[in-house]
Every structure is written in structure tokens, then in C-alpha cells.
Amino acid sequence: MITRRSAALAALAVAAATLTAPSAHAADTPDTSAPTAAVSITRNEVLARTKFWFDRQVPYSQKRTYPDPQGRQYRTDSSGYASMALRLPAPGRNTQGLADPAITRKITKAELQVGDLLLNPTKHVVIFAGWANAAKTRYWTYEQTPPRVKNRTVPYPYYAGNGKFEPYRYRYIK
């Protein structure tokens, strides 16, 4: 015979198991602040992912999202675009989050390679796509800026009047 006490204990056990059991939806809501959520990616993959949005001329917005090639929704601002290109958890980090030492590290101008970032943590981020001249005073970039994704040359480190831009490398790029 079930007593009130044993029924209450059984209910508590079920509740405790429910609270501690992993959610079926845990994979759908990645922790964008956790460095362990980062995955490795090649430079060619980063470039292919940048071109995915460029080819679709994704419009800039700080409020909207757009899917990556796998259908994950990323913010369509500069940091959302960089997060998508690096395959960070959706909807993407903000510019300050991209400067997190657990995710990226500062590098020198001489170390820049395709897929690295030029970042002003308080304002904007662009994806480095190669040098535009031998003097290394201009470079090709992919960036999400109004009105839509752009692929253009810009002066190193970035246009005057936009604050301090520095090169960063994603820690998990191959």
C-alpha cells in the first residue's frame, strides 16, 4: 500500500531527476560564452562561410538573423557575421565577446592570414581575406556593414575615425 509519505518521496525523486537530467533541447541552445563550445575550422572553411552570406547579399541588421549553410540563425551585424564565419555558436558573439582570450588571441600584422579578424572590440569586426598590395597598406576584407555584406579593400588597420583595430586569430583555426 502506498502511503502519503512514500508518494511524496517518489514525487520528489521524479522532480529531482527531472531537474538534473539533461534537457532534450540542450543542444539547441548552445552556451555562446563557453569556450568549450568552440570548434576547430580551417581557413578555407572560414572563407567558404563568408562567401555564403556574400553570395546571398545578406542585409545588415542588429535585430535580424540569417541562416548559415547548416541552417543555424546568426545575427546579421558584423560580429554575428564573424561568428558565423568561424562557426561559433549561434546567434553569435558581440565584438567584445570576439576579443575574449578564450576564443581569440591578438597577433601581429605580419602574422595575418586569410580568416583572421581585424577587430575594434567596442565597435566593429572584419574578416581578413588577404593583402591587396605588396606594401601591406591595404587588404581585402569581408564585412557585414550597412547596407549588406561587402567584399572590398580597406586601408590597414581600418578607416580612420573608427577607433583602434587590431589583428586577432581564432584559437581553433587550422
Side-chain angles (χ1 to χ4, degrees):
M1 178 173 161
I2 298 177
T3 66
R4 282 188 189 179
R5 182 172 181 230
S6 61
L9 288 173
L12 283 173
V14 168
T18 303
L19 290 174
T20 58
S23 165
H25 300 288
D28 297 338
T29 54
D31 177 5
T32 58
S33 65
T36 57
V39 295
S40 65
I41 191 167
T42 67
R43 293 183 184 284
N44 286 339
E45 287 174 303
V46 171
L47 195 56
R49 292 174 69 81
T50 62
K51 289 178 180 178
F52 181 79
W53 275 18
F54 177 75
D55 291 346
R56 287 154 183 79
Q57 290 295 285
V58 175
Y60 178 90
S61 172
Q62 291 184 331
K63 297 179 181 173
R64 294 188 176 180
T65 61
Y66 193 84
D68 73 349
Q70 290 73 40
R72 293 179 292 254
Q73 297 287 323
Y74 287 86
R75 283 185 337 279
T76 58
D77 59 8
S78 69
S79 57
Y81 183 47
S83 295
M84 183 279 300
L86 296 172
R87 204 172 45 225
L88 291 171
R93 290 178 168 259
N94 62 23
T95 52
Q96 291 175 336
L98 288 171
D100 179 345
I103 297 297
T104 59
R105 65 179 176 87
K106 285 185 183 179
I107 59 173
T108 66
K109 178 181 179 180
E111 292 176 289
L112 273 168
Q113 297 180 49
V114 171
D116 289 333
L117 306 175
L118 280 107
L119 173 64
N120 174 339
T122 64
K123 191 166 189 161
H124 189 58
V125 60
V126 300
I127 301 160
F128 182 82
W131 292 109
N133 62 17
K136 296 185 178 181
T137 59
R138 295 191 67 81
Y139 63 98
W140 283 98
T141 181
Y142 282 94
E143 63 181 305
Q144 180 60 296
T145 189
R148 62 187 38 86
V149 175
K150 296 177 183 174
N151 177 224
R152 62 183 177 175
T153 64
V154 298
Y156 184 87
Y158 198 68
Y159 294 107
N162 284 282
K164 185 177 182 180
F165 276 75
E166 296 181 291
Y168 283 77
R169 177 161 297 149
Y170 180 50
R171 289 191 176 276
Y172 304 94
I173 199 164
K174 296 182 201 175

